[in-house]
Amino acid sequence: MLEREREVSAYSGFLNKRLQLEQKREQEACCDIIISAPLKLMLEVTKVCNHRCIFCANSKMTRPRGMIDMALAERLLSEAAEIGVKELSLVATGEPFAFPKITDVIRIAKRLGYTYVYVTTNGGIASPEKLKSALDAGLDSIKFSFNAGTRETYRKIHGQDDFDKVVQRIKYVVDYRRKTQKSFPIGISFVVCDINRSEKKIIENMFGELVDDIVFHEMGAQGGHNNLLVEPIKNCARPFTIAGITYEGYLTLCCVDFQNYLAVADLNRLSLADAWNCETMQNIRKRFLTHDLKGTLCYRCLTGQIETVLPLIPSLATINKELFTDKKTA
């Protein structure tokens, strides 16, 4: 019991320290349109996903599915490291463990000096062998997207009958940490909607003594992709702090940019350093600072209003007029 209390205390201290640093740097960054470097790199290794979660727009996506070229991934990881980026998020619009070379990405990042590499997975295809390989390669944190307390509800939410399998994989990671005496954080992410709202307590009872953190999120509009009327996001610092990279090699503003409507540069033609402060990026930062975002996907998040939007650079986007109209989902 004392060992468990020490783990929770260490994780809480880690989260608080990281949050304070992130908030401080965001405040410093969000006052100019030219930023020396992003705080973190968000790398989309694939758009492929083995689940069809009702809260996620992946299944509605018309953008072609694919996987990042490893030579491109290594180049961009190196370029980000050169300008001082130390944090790598493998959390995007697909399932990271659907990418066969996910362990190679983690290993390269750690070799380049990234101090915090983390992933969120639904766990369905993250076999014990894949999980062990990723953790042995240096993965610093893992979170499981597990959105139901019963098998029946899980199938409705995730579109797959992986409930028992994923429970065992969460327990495998917990056991791996205990046996290896490593200290990486383990978390659960739970998106709350009407179908699963009554099962939050079940999740707490199932995993409360196993993992370090259980985060409950209310279902949102995912940048307007779900066309839901939701509470607006009060503030967003992503254009100032996060370099999102799609599997095609585009610099994007957001991790829920399923159609590349927020892509601002093609990194197959530009370096990350040049793209980070390119004209399109400077313009969108200026629009954030002056609250002039109408007509963009960001406007939906920040206002909660469902408006027709257009891509920042049409040639980089997969146009979907039906998805991005002002029609509201009932």
Side-chain angles (χ1 to χ4, degrees):
M1 189 64 180
L2 288 175
E3 181 181 352
R4 171 63 183 159
E5 290 175 355
R6 282 195 294 268
E7 288 177 354
V8 172
S9 177
Y11 182 62
S12 297
F14 163 80
L15 280 183
N16 289 334
K17 184 176 181 181
R18 180 169 170 267
L19 181 61
Q20 289 171 6
L21 176 61
E22 190 169 281
Q23 289 175 339
K24 181 176 183 293
R25 295 187 70 186
E26 283 182 357
Q27 290 170 357
E28 292 171 350
C30 296
C31 59
D32 203 350
I33 62 171
I34 298 178
I35 313 295
S36 60
L39 301 183
K40 73 176 76 170
L41 192 69
M42 181 191 69
L43 185 64
E44 177 190 79
V45 292
T46 182
K47 290 290 292 181
V48 175
C49 190
N50 54 308
H51 283 193
R52 295 177 62 85
C53 298
I54 63 171
F55 55 79
C56 180
N58 182 283
S59 61
K60 298 178 181 179
M61 178 184 60
T62 59
R63 174 177 153 221
R65 285 165 169 76
M67 299 187 181
I68 197 166
D69 176 76
M70 271 304 297
L72 175 64
E74 185 166 7
R75 191 202 101 203
L76 294 173
L77 285 168
S78 179
E79 288 183 4
E82 287 174 3
I83 59 176
V85 178
K86 295 292 184 181
E87 184 170 326
L88 173 64
S89 166
L90 297 172
V91 182
T93 57
E95 165 52 45
F97 282 96
F99 185 55
K101 296 183 178 180
I102 185 67
T103 295
D104 293 336
V105 172
I106 297 167
R107 187 176 293 114
I108 289 168
K110 298 307 291 184
R111 175 172 54 80
L112 288 169
Y114 286 78
T115 56
Y116 187 54
V117 179
Y118 60 100
V119 68
T120 295
T121 173
N122 61 48
I125 53 177
S127 65
E129 293 77 18
K130 289 181 179 180
L131 289 166
K132 181 179 184 302
S133 180
L135 292 164
D136 286 345
L139 187 66
D140 295 293
S141 176
I142 185 167
K143 185 176 288 183
F144 289 87
S145 178
F146 195 84
N147 304 282
T150 64
R151 184 176 178 183
E152 180 183 0
T153 303
Y154 185 96
R155 189 163 51 242
K156 291 177 182 178
I157 297 285
H158 286 260
Q160 293 289 344
D161 189 13
D162 286 341
F163 182 87
D164 294 330
K165 181 196 299 184
V166 178
V167 168
Q168 290 306 310
R169 287 174 180 175
I170 294 170
K171 291 180 177 178
Y172 168 81
V173 172
V174 172
D175 191 52
Y176 168 94
R177 182 174 67 175
R178 179 184 60 80
K179 288 180 178 178
T180 60
Q181 297 186 329
K182 293 185 177 182
S183 59
F184 60 88
I186 305 169
I188 300 286
S189 173
F190 186 107
V191 178
V192 182
C193 60
D194 291 342
I195 297 174
N196 63 7
R197 192 175 303 277
S198 63
E199 297 182 3
K200 292 166 64 177
K201 192 65 177 178
I202 299 175
I203 290 293
E204 290 174 340
N205 291 336
M206 287 176 65
F207 299 114
E209 293 299 317
L210 295 176
V211 304
D212 305 296
D213 193 28
I214 301 175
V215 181
F216 295 103
H217 303 278
E218 285 293 325
M219 180 176 174
Q222 288 211 315
H225 289 82
N226 284 337
N227 279 1
L228 297 171
L229 288 172
V230 297
E231 287 296 318
I233 294 175
K234 294 181 179 180
N235 189 32
C236 180
R238 288 178 179 176
F240 302 85
T241 58
I242 300 175
I245 297 174
T246 72
Y247 81 85
E248 301 100 328
Y250 302 155
L251 178 64
T252 181
L253 303 182
C254 188
C255 63
V256 291
D257 184 18
F258 289 90
Q259 301 286 132
N260 286 342
Y261 269 49
L262 297 176
V264 296
D266 185 351
L267 296 171
N268 296 285
R269 301 184 177 188
L270 288 175
S271 69
L272 179 60
D274 288 340
W276 178 243
N277 283 309
C278 69
E279 183 178 357
T280 304
M281 185 64 104
Q282 289 187 48
N283 286 340
I284 196 66
R285 288 182 186 136
K286 185 182 297 182
R287 293 179 68 178
F288 264 79
L289 294 173
T290 58
H291 309 288
D292 177 28
L293 291 166
K294 195 172 180 64
T296 71
L297 201 58
C298 300
Y299 183 79
R300 291 186 172 203
C301 269
L302 292 169
T303 66
Q305 299 180 38
I306 305 302
E307 299 278 349
T308 299
V309 301
L310 296 172
L312 298 180
I313 301 182
S315 62
L316 300 183
T318 300
I319 306 299
N320 188 328
K321 294 182 180 179
E322 182 178 349
L323 184 60
F324 296 118
T325 68
D326 59 0
K327 297 178 181 177
K328 302 170 181 61
T329 300

